[in-house]
Amino acid sequence: MQKEDAALGEDNVFNDDVIIELAKSKPNGISNIDIKNEIPDVLPEIWTKSINKLLKSGTLELFKDKGTLLYKYKDPSTKTEVKGSDNEEKVVYKIIEEAGNKGIWIRDIRFKSNLNMTQLNKVLKSLETKKYIKAVKSVAASKKKVYMLYNLEPDSSVTGGAWYQDQDFESEFVDVLNQQCYRFLEGKRDAAIKLGGGPLMCRNRSYVTATDVHKFISELGISKVQLSVDDIESILYTVVLDNKAERTVNPNGEYLYRAINPFLKSPGIVRTTCGICPIVERCGDAGLINPKSCKYLTEWLND
Amino acid sequence: MSLQHRNVINLILLERFGKVIADVGDIIFQNPSSLYNIVKSADIRISKVKEALSVLIKYNLVTFKLNVDSSAAIYMLNLKNVLLMLRFPKFINLIKTKFDETYEVLVEEILLKGCVTASELIIKVAKRLQEQKTVNILLQELKDNFNSLVTAKYVTRLSTQVTKAEELYLLPNLDLKQILTVLNGENETLSDAGIYWTINSDRFHQDLRDQLIVNSVSNKFDDNMGELIRLLLQQMYVRTDPWVSSSNPIPILEVKDIVKKRNTHPQLATFFEQYVNILEQDATGIIRKVGEASGGSFQVEIKHIFTQLTWEAVEEIVNEKFDSKASRIFRLVKLRHYIEPEQIQNLVMIPAKEVKRILYMLLEENFLVVNELKRSATSLGPSKSFTLFHIRLSQVVRTMLELCYKTLYNIMTRRCHEKYLNKRLIDKKHRVDTITHGMRVQGISGDSVLDIEEMITPPENEILERIGKMMKKLSLTELEIDETLFLLEMYLKYE
Ligand code: SF4
């Protein structure tokens, strides 16, 4: 993965400039289609990355015009200019700007600006109506808002990334991916066993990297959003936490995953109703809940 | 010692020995007492109490010592041994699979009697097996087998204050001629009178422990790996005391030679080094390389194995008792040792609210503990303290033990209750069986036997069948719960 990263890095540098030049040449903004036409030989994954980076740094601004997204070049010298604002607004704007696309919450703005709450609220309102800044709900804590510059795309730590849709965590999506990732690991292991050879070969053949799994998941087409290799890495870790896989590091510092079996079949105690009974604390000899008439036990006995 | 524990103990005694003994047992469970005190608190006649105590002592369920001013004996209940009775079927089965039927019957008789002299035991067993073999051969065989049980330490001298350590496995002096005369119904004092034998549960546990390890390793890897660990354990005994937490170094070539010679696992023989390598490199850390000389030598980390198995069992219990999300969180806390709730959510990929609910639930049921850390006063920031979640395995194990006791008690209670509900029918069936059996012995067959058998109507037969199934299921479950208990006990033993 390191090698790949390095390759991506080079492309990034190259592309950033290309895109800045493109944007400069069209003061009214460039669309995705424009970019594709101008640099057809560069993969979209690569140039969207640098677009995102430029948006984050404020070099590009995002606009919507008749339903198409346009990127506009923003001269760095005018970047921090807040027209028609008083000093307080400038200070607050600066603070918010520094926070980048991770945003900053109101308490911290207050600390840094030394304004009192009423003042600060007024300033924020004003900046918001002028569309210099916006408030974004953070997934980290419900009801907590963070402020950032109006044209920024919030960081995935704020939106939650691929796993969130409007602040709601998509559990089912994660579950499906968890299952599919395990299925892939399992398939790898079974194939390795079938191929035979010594146990060492068998074990080594059943290792996969997140990139392998990423490819498999992308080809499955079950995800409506674009998942990154890191996203898959996160999912794979949940498979590890489910004790269905193990994770090791190869000499390149890359994580390797492999399906594993448990030591034990389910322990005897959980094969009874009492071992998993939710009301076991209230179950006794006297009283309504007791083993003699317990209907969980009756059902289990008649199974 | 909890209420659950006390309940189970009481029920076991009640089922096996009846009410008086269970009552006496209960009194000394709460408080080791003198005979006088037992009589006073039990409100049972002194002769009955004496009788009860002597039975309990005979089965090694009660021990006694002199009180401080040496004026009276104080009786104590041996809780471990009471619970052990649930495990007897497993002991018998173990001997049966390892040796043969005569051994099995020998062990079974000792367990039934609690303790017994060797001659009496042989007489008893000979009576049971008489029909199969000529008496002389049988007696010789029984003597030999008994001796090998002692040599292998499955059976031991019942020790008293005056028994010396070297006497524990000293073979008794058996006079087969004498035994034969007694077997033929004559009276004679036997040569080994007064020397009692009982089973050595430690030795059985050692076998059960090894079995558990081999099975677990086979489950996780494959049968070849299971065989490897079995042989490692076998070679371990050559140099190592059976209950130490990690074995002395075992030269791996020794094991390799055995694999080659036995030739039962060709795959293991071909890829021997690879298997050793895999086991050694595995994250579970079952064996550890300690020397390079002559192919390397390895330690078996028995204590470590049981810690791993216990973790897995506990995780599985969390999984079943709550759900897979809970066990995921539980495992994360285990891996990180100490972790803040905010970190958990991102790594387990479960919605924040759900994580909070699960954490609270696990906390409530003692699977997790919380450590509050105060942040130093100088640091700024919104929160003044932070919360760390943590697992104390030994505490969880104790919670699990309680759960096992309670479950055992419930299952046993239900079994007794079902029996009680259908007592009349079960008794009737018994009577019919006895009568028809008697008739068959007398050579009566045909219609008259059928007539008697038909006293049990088809619907009654159906009920009986249902009850039979139920009893089987319940008894089997008791054994399975005991398996969990065994694992937890092993963990505590090595702790
Ligand atoms: S007897 Fe019934 S209520 Fe009581 S613990 Fe068992 S399953 Fe739960």
Side-chain angles (χ1 to χ4, degrees):
Chain A
M1 209 201 304
Q2 276 177 343
K3 238 171 70 201
E4 255 173 59
D5 264 350
L8 274 180
E10 274 165 33
D11 284 347
N12 261 344
V13 176
F14 164 72
N15 266 293
D16 285 355
D17 289 340
V18 171
I19 283 170
I20 292 173
E21 285 312 310
L22 261 175
K24 270 187 185 166
S25 69
K26 287 194 180 179
N28 285 334
I30 45 168
S31 68
N32 281 336
I33 299 171
D34 292 337
I35 301 175
K36 231 183 262 168
N37 291 336
E38 291 291 335
I39 42 168
D41 46 330
V42 182
L43 288 173
E45 287 107 276
I46 294 169
W47 60 254
T48 43
K49 259 198 180 169
S50 68
I51 292 258
N52 279 337
K53 212 174 97 191
L54 294 168
L55 283 173
K56 265 183 216 172
S57 67
T59 318
L60 288 184
E61 276 182 297
L62 190 63
F63 283 97
K64 211 173 203 174
D65 186 32
K66 293 181 206 108
T68 46
L69 291 175
L70 293 176
Y71 310 106
K72 240 190 229 176
Y73 178 68
K74 202 173 151 197
D75 193 350
S77 56
T78 61
K79 234 165 51 179
T80 54
E81 186 87 5
V82 185
K83 281 170 232 133
S85 309
D86 54 23
N87 263 339
E88 282 159 8
E89 285 188 12
K90 276 186 185 140
V91 170
V92 172
Y93 182 90
K94 190 118 185 97
I95 293 170
I96 294 174
E97 188 184 24
E98 274 164 12
N101 65 348
K102 290 218 165 75
I104 180 164
W105 60 307
I106 193 158
R107 246 187 101 118
D108 293 334
I109 304 179
R110 218 180 73 197
F111 268 118
K112 291 192 176 172
S113 66
N114 268 330
L115 294 171
N116 69 34
M117 206 57 192
T118 7
Q119 261 176 319
L120 182 57
N121 270 329
K122 229 177 75 199
V123 172
L124 287 172
K125 257 264 152 56
S126 148
L127 285 171
E128 250 184 294
T129 25
K130 287 184 208 158
K131 297 216 153 116
Y132 285 130
I133 62 163
K134 63 182 170 188
V136 181
K137 267 196 229 149
S138 164
V139 293
S142 54
K143 294 201 205 93
K144 199 160 126 180
K145 280 192 291 189
V146 295
Y147 289 94
M148 65 183 71
L149 294 194
Y150 188 77
N151 51 19
L152 289 185
E153 186 72 30
D155 186 74
S156 62
S157 66
V158 180
T159 60
W163 320 118
Y164 283 83
Q165 181 124 46
D166 312 326
Q167 268 91 51
D168 279 334
F169 186 84
E170 294 207 78
S171 282
E172 274 141 49
F173 181 43
V174 169
D175 288 347
V176 169
L177 285 174
N178 170 290
Q179 282 158 20
Q180 290 301 334
C181 284
Y182 175 62
R183 213 191 68 178
F184 183 68
L185 297 182
E186 226 184 358
K188 265 275 168 186
R189 182 190 57 194
D190 293 348
I193 292 173
K194 231 186 230 146
L195 272 175
L200 209 53
M201 195 134 71
C202 219
R203 187 194 66 182
N204 294 344
R205 273 187 185 140
S206 54
Y207 279 123
V208 300
T209 64
T211 317
D212 301 332
V213 185
H214 182 246
K215 192 159 165 264
F216 167 75
I217 298 286
S218 305
E219 279 164 9
L220 267 183
I222 43 172
S223 168
K224 36 190 191 310
V225 287
Q226 187 77 37
L227 293 173
S228 67
V229 174
D230 278 348
D231 289 335
I232 296 297
E233 206 92 57
S234 310
I235 295 285
L236 281 167
Y237 191 58
T238 66
V239 184
V240 172
L241 288 178
D242 289 345
N243 201 25
K244 289 178 180 164
E246 70 173 18
R247 187 172 82 170
T248 41
V249 186
N250 74 3
N252 304 330
E254 223 176 338
Y255 282 132
L256 293 177
Y257 299 86
R258 181 171 74 96
I260 54 166
N261 292 327
F263 277 118
L264 303 167
K265 307 216 171 73
S266 70
I269 178 83
V270 298
R271 269 175 263 163
T272 66
T273 49
C274 302
I276 55 173
C277 174
I279 50 173
V280 61
E281 293 299 328
R282 307 213 306 266
C283 176
D285 273 336
L288 279 176
I289 304 168
N290 66 68
K292 287 183 187 164
S293 66
C294 168
K295 64 176 190 305
Y296 295 132
L297 265 181
T298 312
E299 265 168 40
W300 171 78
L301 277 173
N302 292 333
D303 246 7
Chain B
M1 269 165 284
S2 65
L3 180 66
Q4 307 310 342
H5 202 174
R6 178 175 161 196
N7 282 341
V8 176
I9 299 273
N10 191 257
L11 203 51
I12 295 174
L13 291 177
L14 184 67
E15 240 197 322
R16 273 153 231 248
F17 301 106
K19 179 137 173 37
V20 175
I21 291 188
D23 285 351
V24 170
D26 198 45
I27 289 166
I28 48 180
F29 178 96
Q30 297 177 60
N31 262 324
S33 338
S34 63
L35 178 62
Y36 172 74
N37 279 331
I38 299 172
V39 173
K40 220 172 64 182
S41 27
D43 197 19
I44 303 173
R45 259 186 299 132
I46 188 159
S47 59
K48 286 265 182 197
V49 174
K50 275 186 183 164
E51 207 179 292
L53 282 174
S54 69
V55 171
L56 287 168
I57 290 170
K58 185 160 172 265
Y59 283 88
N60 208 3
L61 304 176
V62 159
T63 51
F64 52 89
K65 61 166 196 268
L66 279 183
N67 67 357
V68 260
D69 56 5
S70 306
S71 56
I74 301 291
Y75 297 92
M76 287 159 287
L77 196 60
N78 187 336
L79 304 177
K80 258 203 195 132
N81 285 357
V82 178
L83 274 173
L84 207 59
M85 287 195 281
L86 295 176
R87 208 166 282 158
F88 286 175
K90 255 184 233 131
F91 288 180
I92 294 171
N93 193 34
L94 191 132
I95 291 296
K96 186 172 157 190
T97 36
K98 208 165 169 171
F99 307 103
D100 68 19
E101 199 200 343
T102 51
Y103 286 91
E104 179 196 348
V105 180
L106 280 168
V107 169
E108 197 182 311
E109 281 300 329
I110 303 176
L111 290 173
L112 272 175
K113 283 246 148 54
C115 63
V116 64
T117 70
S119 303
E120 277 164 4
L121 175 68
I122 289 175
I123 292 166
K124 187 89 212 241
V125 175
K127 276 185 189 152
R128 270 177 69 177
L129 298 177
Q130 229 165 9
E131 285 153 27
Q132 300 174 7
K133 283 178 189 147
T134 42
V135 178
N136 280 328
I137 299 174
L138 181 65
L139 287 182
Q140 185 59 46
E141 191 185 334
L142 286 176
K143 179 184 167 184
D144 292 347
N145 292 356
F146 177 82
N147 284 347
S148 38
L149 282 173
V150 174
T151 317
K153 301 195 175 169
Y154 288 102
V155 173
T156 173
R157 274 264 301 262
L158 188 68
S159 63
T160 61
Q161 260 88 356
V162 292
T163 322
K164 294 188 205 85
E166 62 268 24
E167 283 175 342
L168 283 178
Y169 301 103
L170 201 64
L171 296 180
N173 181 18
L174 291 176
D175 185 340
L176 287 183
K177 256 198 220 115
Q178 245 183 5
I179 290 177
L180 191 62
T181 9
V182 178
L183 196 58
N184 290 335
E186 280 163 57
N187 258 342
E188 189 152 0
T189 330
L190 290 157
S191 57
D192 63 338
I195 299 177
Y196 286 90
W197 298 87
T198 185
I199 59 137
N200 174 18
S201 56
D202 254 8
R203 181 67 183 80
F204 284 88
H205 283 167
Q206 192 186 317
D207 278 14
L208 289 178
R209 177 198 70 184
D210 292 354
Q211 225 173 48
L212 181 59
I213 294 177
V214 172
N215 289 343
S216 305
V217 169
S218 306
N219 285 342
K220 187 157 183 79
F221 301 91
D222 60 8
D223 288 344
N224 292 302
M225 202 65 102
E227 175 71 4
L228 175 63
I229 193 79
R230 194 183 69 77
L231 293 173
L232 275 167
L233 288 170
Q234 180 188 307
Q235 291 316 100
M236 168 182 107
Y237 290 123
V238 179
R239 316 174 171 74
T240 311
D241 196 62
W243 290 104
V244 292
S245 39
S246 73
S247 76
N248 293 331
I250 303 159
I252 201 69
L253 283 182
E254 227 175 80
V255 179
K256 190 175 180 176
D257 282 346
I258 302 176
V259 175
K260 281 249 156 74
K261 237 175 260 151
R262 289 173 47 106
N263 202 21
T264 47
H265 292 70
Q267 172 91 353
L268 178 59
T270 322
F271 297 106
F272 187 78
E273 278 77 17
Q274 293 195 11
Y275 274 104
V276 175
N277 253 331
I278 290 178
L279 195 59
E280 194 225 335
Q281 287 167 11
D282 197 76
T284 47
I286 294 173
I287 59 170
R288 204 156 61 88
K289 192 165 194 169
V290 283
E292 293 291 344
S294 60
S297 47
F298 291 83
Q299 278 182 347
V300 184
E301 303 290 342
I302 301 215
K303 174 179 172 179
H304 185 71
I305 296 175
F306 276 95
T307 313
Q308 300 262 352
L309 294 183
T310 306
W311 270 115
E312 212 186 273
V314 171
E315 288 160 24
E316 190 54 29
I317 291 169
V318 171
N319 190 24
E320 294 289 335
K321 205 170 154 67
F322 307 102
D323 57 14
S324 63
K325 302 247 147 66
S327 62
R328 192 184 288 171
I329 292 177
F330 188 76
R331 272 192 208 96
L332 178 67
V333 181
K334 160 189 149 190
L335 289 174
R336 301 285 160 122
H337 302 292
Y338 290 92
I339 187 166
E340 283 188 85
E342 293 79 41
Q343 286 173 285
I344 296 178
Q345 185 206 330
N346 287 333
L347 290 167
V348 295
M349 309 206 67
I350 299 170
K353 250 201 204 141
E354 181 86 359
V355 171
K356 258 190 215 136
R357 185 185 63 83
I358 292 171
L359 283 172
Y360 180 73
M361 218 163 56
L362 290 173
L363 205 59
E364 178 96 314
E365 306 237 358
N366 285 329
F367 286 94
L368 293 179
V369 288
V370 175
N371 290 26
E372 295 273 359
L373 282 188
K374 291 264 177 294
R375 218 175 266 220
S376 60
T378 48
S379 65
L380 294 172
S383 58
K384 294 255 164 11
S385 69
F386 52 106
T387 318
L388 291 175
F389 283 97
H390 177 59
I391 301 170
R392 271 193 222 121
L393 185 56
S394 53
Q395 182 193 319
V396 178
V397 165
R398 266 163 246 275
T399 314
M400 289 301 80
L401 273 181
E402 289 301 303
L403 184 65
C404 286
Y405 293 145
K406 176 141 195 174
T407 307
L408 259 182
Y409 175 73
N410 283 354
I411 296 286
M412 288 170 68
T413 305
R414 182 63 178 247
R415 187 163 48 76
C416 295
H417 183 65
E418 294 286 344
K419 234 189 208 159
Y420 169 79
L421 285 182
N422 297 291
K423 189 168 183 317
R424 255 198 36 238
L425 191 55
I426 294 173
D427 286 350
K428 184 173 166 190
K429 169 85 176 144
H430 258 295
R431 278 199 306 275
V432 169
D433 282 352
T434 325
I435 295 170
T436 48
H437 179 77
M439 288 167 87
R440 284 211 186 83
V441 170
Q442 287 169 31
I444 305 169
S445 62
D447 285 353
S448 40
V449 177
L450 271 183
D451 280 348
I452 304 276
E453 271 174 354
E454 270 164 16
M455 281 170 67
I456 305 226
T457 62
E460 280 178 334
N461 251 329
E462 232 167 70
I463 297 175
L464 279 168
E465 207 171 287
R466 218 197 63 228
I467 297 168
K469 255 197 210 140
M470 214 185 263
M471 294 295 141
K472 224 170 155 186
K473 187 163 180 175
L474 287 164
S475 317
L476 196 73
T477 304
E478 282 165 35
L479 282 177
E480 286 180 348
I481 300 169
D482 182 60
E483 268 167 36
T484 309
L485 267 177
F486 178 71
L487 173 58
L488 299 176
E489 277 168 22
M490 284 298 115
Y491 170 78
L492 290 175
K493 186 170 181 125
Y494 283 109
E495 239 340 76

